Amino acid sequence: MLIRAWAVSKSFGPKEVLKEVTFNIDEKDRVAIVGPNGVGKSTLLRVLMGELAPDVGEVVRRTNHVCYMSQFPQYDPEESVVDSVSGCVQSSGAIGKRMRELEQMMLQPGPEVDMDQVAMEYGQLQEEFNNADSFDDMAQVKETLAKVGLPDDRLEKKVSELSGGERTKVMLAKVLMQADESDLLVLDEPTSHLDMAATEWLEDYLLQYPGAVVVVSHDRYFLDRTVTNVIDLEDGMVRQFSGNYTDYVAKKRLDIERRRIAAEKYETEKQRLEDSAVEMHQKEWYKSKHKTRMKMVDRLEEAEPPKKRPEFNFKVETKERSGKNVITAKGLRVRRGDKLVLDGLDLEIEVGDKLGIFGANGSGKTTLMKTILGELPFQGEMWLAPGAVIGYFGQGHDQLNPDMTPEDHLLESLGHDARVEARRLLARFYLRSHEVQRPISTLSGGERARVALAMLLAERRNLLLLDEPTNYLDIQARQAVEGALMDYQGTMLIITHDRYLLNTVCNMVGEMRAGSITVFPGTYSQFRQKVKESTVSLEQAGVYKVVSGFTDWNTKTKYNVGDKVAVAPSELEKYRWAMESGKLKKVAGTELKKVRK
C-alpha cells in the first residue's frame, strides 16, 4: 500500500464534496478517478497529496516518492523553461537509489542490520543530495520537452511568457524528469493540451512505468490504454470498478441496475411488512404482534435507489442539403506571415461526409478551417457548394463576444422576441438563472463551449466546421455531443485530438502533416491499425512460460498459467513488468515472430 484514504470527508461551506471516502492505492496500481466537472476529483487528489486537510478521516502515505502534476500547476514566472525543467531533478541517480534502499531498511529492519550505520550513511547521502548540482543532461531535458510537444525555440523563454497549454507541458516535463525516482505518479488532466503524438507517447511511457499511476482525465481513449482500475466519484462518494474505462462503463451500468432492483425490493418488502402490521393491529388491537412486524421493518437493510442524472441531450438541426461536392480544394497554398503553412493541399468532401482531421500542433489544421471560412487569402483552387450554409465552432470560442451574455447570443440567432426559447435551449446545456446573464468573459471554458454548442443548435446549418468541440467538456457532455453529431444529417469537418470522437462520429479521417493532408476512409482506430500493418518485421523471439496468469489491458489479451509467449527484442519493455513480477519465466528455444512497429 502506498496511500490509504480512510473515511475522508471534505466540505467547502455548506457543500459536502467528499463523504466518508475510503480506498487504497497500492504498488503498480493504474487508477483513474472519473466523474462530471465540479464533482470534486481535483479536491480528492489535493487531499491525497496533503495540499488540503480532510475535515474528517485520515490519509496515510507510506511513500514520500510521489510526483504530482496539478491541473493548475504553480511555477516561478521569472524562471526559464530550461532552468525550470533541468533544475527539477538533482544529479542523484545513484544517490537517490541508495537512499531509497536505506529507507526500506529503516522501515523493515532485519536482525543483521546495524541501524546506527544505516542512519549515518543516510545522513551523509542526504547532505550530498542537497548539495548536488542541478541535473545538467541537456539532451534529456530537450528530449523530454520535445516528447510533450514543446519545441526548442521555447527553451530560453520565461515560463510566464508561455501560453497556458505550454506551461502545462513544462509542468508535465518536470514530473516526467523525476518519475524514475518515484513510486507513484499523480496526474490531473495531463493530456488536456497535448497533441495526439505527444498523448500517445505519454500512454506508451505510462504502460512501461514500473510504479503506480493515478490519473484524472476526460480522454476516454487514454484511459482505456493506461488504467486497470476506475474510481467513480459521484455525490461525494466513491465506487471502484476493475478494468479500463470501457469496462467501467459496462460495469457501472450493471451496478446502477442492481441498485435500482435492490431499492425496489426493499420498498416492496417494507410496504408488505408495514401493511401486515396495520392489518394485525386492526384485527387484534389488544395484542402486540404488530410491533414485531414494525421491528422487522427497522431491521431491513435500507437500499437507496441510484440518483437520476439530468441528461445532456441535444440535436443539431440541418438546413436543406447542399450540392454533392461540398468542399473542393486543389493545390491549396496558404501563408501566415513568412511561413508557408499549407503547401499544395488537395481535399474533396461530399455531402454527408464526416471528416475528422488530426495532426501535430502547428501542422495547419486551424489554418485550413479558416481558409474554408474565407478568413485567409490563398493560392490554388477552393470551391464551396452554393447551397452550403456553414455553422462554425472555434477552438477559442472566438465566435463569442466576451461582452455579451449567453442569452444575448441566443437572441441574436433566434430573434429578440424569443427569450423563452433562448432560455430553454441554454437550460438544456445546464446554463440557468444568473449564468445566462453573465458576460461571456466571466464564464469557464466548459461553460463557453456549451454556449457555442447552444448557438449551433439554434442555427440550422448543413455544413459544420468544428475546431476541438469537446475541449473543456466532461465525459457526460462529450458523450452527448457525440450522440448529436452521429445523428446529424449534414456534412462535417472536425478538428480534434479526441480519438474517441474520431472513432464514434467520423466516417473518414485525415492526418495533417507538412502542409498537406492524407485522407483515410474509416475510423481513427482503423487508420492506426492500417499504419501498424504496413510496418511489420521478422525478429528472433525468446520463448517464455506464463507462471502466474495476467491480463494485458492494452491489448485486452489474457494469459493463462502454462501458456507459451514469444517475446521479440523490440517487445521486451512491453513485457518487462510481467518478467520482473515473476509472471513470465524464460524457457529454452527461440522462434521467428512478425512484429508490428
Side-chain angles (χ1 to χ4, degrees):
M1 187 190 76
L2 299 176
I3 295 180
R4 183 188 190 190
W6 176 255
V8 168
S9 296
K10 183 67 181 176
S11 298
F12 295 99
K15 184 178 181 182
E16 193 173 14
V17 179
L18 304 176
K19 303 175 185 177
E20 298 187 1
V21 168
T22 297
F23 63 88
N24 291 352
I25 303 296
D26 298 329
E27 289 181 345
K28 300 185 184 300
D29 273 355
R30 296 288 193 273
V31 180
I33 300 176
V34 302
N37 284 340
V39 78
K41 301 185 296 295
S42 295
T43 297
L44 177 56
L45 289 188
R46 293 180 67 193
V47 170
L48 294 179
M49 293 299 98
E51 290 187 359
L52 289 175
D55 300 332
V56 180
E58 65 173 352
V59 175
V60 178
R61 282 177 290 274
R62 291 189 175 174
T63 176
N64 292 320
H65 302 285
V66 179
C67 286
Y68 172 44
M69 176 184 162
S70 170
Q71 186 177 1
F72 305 104
Q74 301 295 317
Y75 59 91
D76 182 348
E78 295 304 313
E79 198 170 36
S80 71
V81 170
V82 69
D83 288 341
S84 179
V85 177
S86 64
C88 68
V89 178
Q90 294 174 305
S91 55
S92 57
I95 297 175
K97 185 175 180 180
R98 179 57 180 164
M99 287 176 69
R100 293 178 68 182
E101 291 174 357
L102 295 176
E103 287 169 0
Q104 193 64 32
M105 290 181 193
M106 288 187 281
L107 285 172
Q108 298 175 337
E112 73 285 356
V113 174
D114 186 334
M115 292 303 295
D116 291 336
Q117 290 294 325
V118 170
M120 185 182 299
E121 182 183 354
Y122 188 84
Q124 292 171 345
L125 290 174
Q126 183 75 56
E127 187 175 352
E128 290 179 35
F129 185 91
N130 292 336
N131 295 329
D133 293 331
S134 292
F135 188 87
D136 58 359
D137 188 348
M138 194 56 60
Q140 187 175 352
V141 171
K142 289 182 178 181
E143 180 183 8
T144 303
L145 286 167
K147 284 173 179 175
V148 299
L150 206 67
D152 286 352
D153 61 6
R154 297 289 193 275
L155 295 185
E156 299 303 326
K157 283 185 173 291
K158 291 182 178 180
V159 178
S160 57
E161 296 173 348
L162 303 179
S163 68
E166 289 173 331
R167 287 198 292 268
T168 301
K169 292 175 181 179
V170 172
M171 299 307 124
L172 178 59
K174 290 180 68 171
V175 167
L176 296 177
M177 291 287 285
Q178 303 172 78
D180 288 345
E181 296 298 321
S182 68
D183 298 316
L184 171 64
L185 288 183
V186 180
L187 307 174
D188 195 352
E189 296 290 359
T191 66
S192 58
H193 295 285
L194 300 184
D195 61 28
M196 207 170 287
T199 298
E200 292 182 345
W201 174 85
L202 179 60
E203 289 169 353
D204 292 337
Y205 176 87
L206 294 179
L207 288 172
Q208 298 173 19
Y209 176 67
V213 176
V214 177
V215 62
V216 170
S217 177
H218 294 313
D219 187 335
R220 293 154 292 169
Y221 203 102
F222 175 80
L223 295 180
D224 265 351
R225 287 201 67 201
T226 57
V227 306
T228 58
N229 200 292
V230 175
I231 294 176
D232 179 60
L233 181 58
E234 187 174 17
D235 297 322
M237 296 178 287
V238 300
R239 284 186 174 83
Q240 287 188 267
F241 299 86
S242 62
N244 62 14
Y245 180 81
T246 299
D247 297 325
Y248 149 75
V249 171
K251 290 180 179 180
K252 184 178 181 182
R253 190 179 297 116
L254 292 174
D255 181 62
I256 290 172
E257 181 63 14
R258 179 191 58 77
R259 288 158 57 201
R260 184 190 64 77
I261 292 172
E264 288 180 356
K265 286 182 177 180
Y266 165 76
E267 289 296 335
T268 300
E269 182 63 8
K270 180 184 176 185
Q271 189 64 52
R272 187 187 70 79
L273 292 172
E274 288 175 342
D275 290 345
S276 176
V278 170
E279 185 179 349
M280 283 181 176
H281 191 49
Q282 288 174 343
K283 286 182 177 179
E284 299 178 299
W285 58 269
Y286 50 87
K287 294 184 179 181
S288 60
K289 287 183 178 180
H290 69 283
K291 293 182 180 179
T292 303
R293 286 288 188 272
M294 294 308 296
K295 287 179 181 179
M296 291 174 68
V297 171
D298 294 336
R299 286 197 294 267
L300 281 177
E301 185 176 348
E302 186 173 356
E304 292 187 4
K307 289 188 177 181
K308 289 186 177 180
R309 292 286 164 192
E311 292 190 358
F312 181 36
N313 292 326
F314 68 98
K315 182 178 181 180
V316 182
E317 299 291 341
T318 312
K319 199 174 178 64
E320 60 272 8
R321 288 162 65 94
S322 64
K324 180 182 178 183
N325 298 315
V326 181
I327 299 174
T328 302
K330 292 183 179 180
L332 198 65
R333 293 167 60 87
V334 178
R335 289 185 176 274
R336 303 196 80 164
D338 296 331
K339 184 180 180 182
L340 183 64
V341 180
L342 300 183
D343 185 12
L345 182 142
D346 295 331
L347 178 64
E348 188 162 327
I349 299 178
E350 297 185 352
V351 66
D353 283 345
K354 296 180 179 180
L355 172 64
I357 297 180
F358 63 93
N361 291 338
S363 60
K365 303 184 298 294
T366 300
T367 295
L368 173 60
M369 188 166 283
K370 295 284 188 182
T371 305
I372 295 172
L373 288 167
E375 297 180 7
L376 296 175
F378 62 88
Q379 295 175 316
E381 298 180 28
M382 167 67 74
W383 189 85
L384 197 64
V389 183
I390 296 176
Y392 171 59
F393 181 100
Q395 180 178 357
H397 311 131
D398 43 9
Q399 71 272 40
L400 301 178
N401 185 330
D403 298 323
M404 291 174 62
T405 68
E407 186 177 68
D408 292 338
H409 277 289
L410 268 291
L411 291 176
E412 274 198 348
S413 300
L414 298 170
H416 290 280
D417 295 330
R419 192 173 302 275
V420 173
E421 175 67 9
R423 291 279 182 118
R424 185 184 68 81
L425 281 176
L426 290 167
R428 291 174 66 181
F429 290 86
Y430 305 148
L431 294 163
R432 300 181 176 91
S433 61
H434 66 283
E435 293 171 336
V436 305
Q437 294 183 323
R438 287 169 51 191
I440 295 294
S441 59
T442 67
L443 300 181
S444 68
E447 288 169 333
R448 294 185 195 190
R450 285 181 268 148
V451 173
L453 289 167
M455 290 174 61
L456 278 182
L457 177 60
E459 303 167 348
R460 294 171 62 88
R461 309 289 180 174
N462 57 23
L463 173 59
L464 297 184
L465 303 182
L466 311 176
D467 195 350
E468 298 289 1
T470 58
N471 268 11
Y472 307 106
L473 298 180
D474 60 28
I475 289 176
Q476 183 186 24
R478 290 183 182 208
Q479 290 170 334
V481 170
E482 288 164 6
L485 297 182
M486 287 170 66
D487 294 338
Y488 179 65
Q489 299 300 307
T491 307
M492 279 193 302
L493 188 151
I494 308 173
I495 294 173
T496 185
H497 292 137
D498 187 340
R499 293 162 293 174
Y500 226 89
L501 180 69
L502 290 171
N503 272 348
T504 56
V505 171
C506 301
N507 58 12
M508 50 200 297
V509 294
E511 182 180 22
M512 290 285 291
R513 184 179 293 181
S516 188
I517 186 170
T518 302
V519 176
F520 173 83
T523 66
Y524 176 77
S525 291
Q526 291 168 340
F527 166 79
R528 293 297 301 167
Q529 184 63 30
K530 191 76 174 178
V531 170
K532 286 182 180 179
E533 289 174 355
S534 65
T535 53
V536 176
S537 63
L538 280 175
E539 293 187 35
Q540 196 75 32
V543 179
Y544 291 77
K545 182 179 179 180
V546 178
V547 179
S548 176
F550 65 97
T551 300
D552 182 346
W553 289 104
N554 183 31
T555 60
K556 295 186 179 179
T557 303
K558 187 173 183 179
Y559 296 93
N560 299 312
V561 175
D563 288 351
K564 296 291 181 66
V565 183
V567 180
S570 62
E571 298 177 308
L572 283 174
E573 285 302 321
K574 174 183 173 183
Y575 291 97
R576 189 173 300 282
W577 71 273
M579 297 172 186
E580 292 178 350
S581 60
K583 295 182 181 295
L584 285 178
K585 182 180 179 181
K586 184 78 168 65
V587 296
T590 61
E591 61 181 71
L592 283 175
K593 182 178 181 181
K594 289 183 178 180
V595 180
R596 294 187 176 91
K597 300 296 184 179

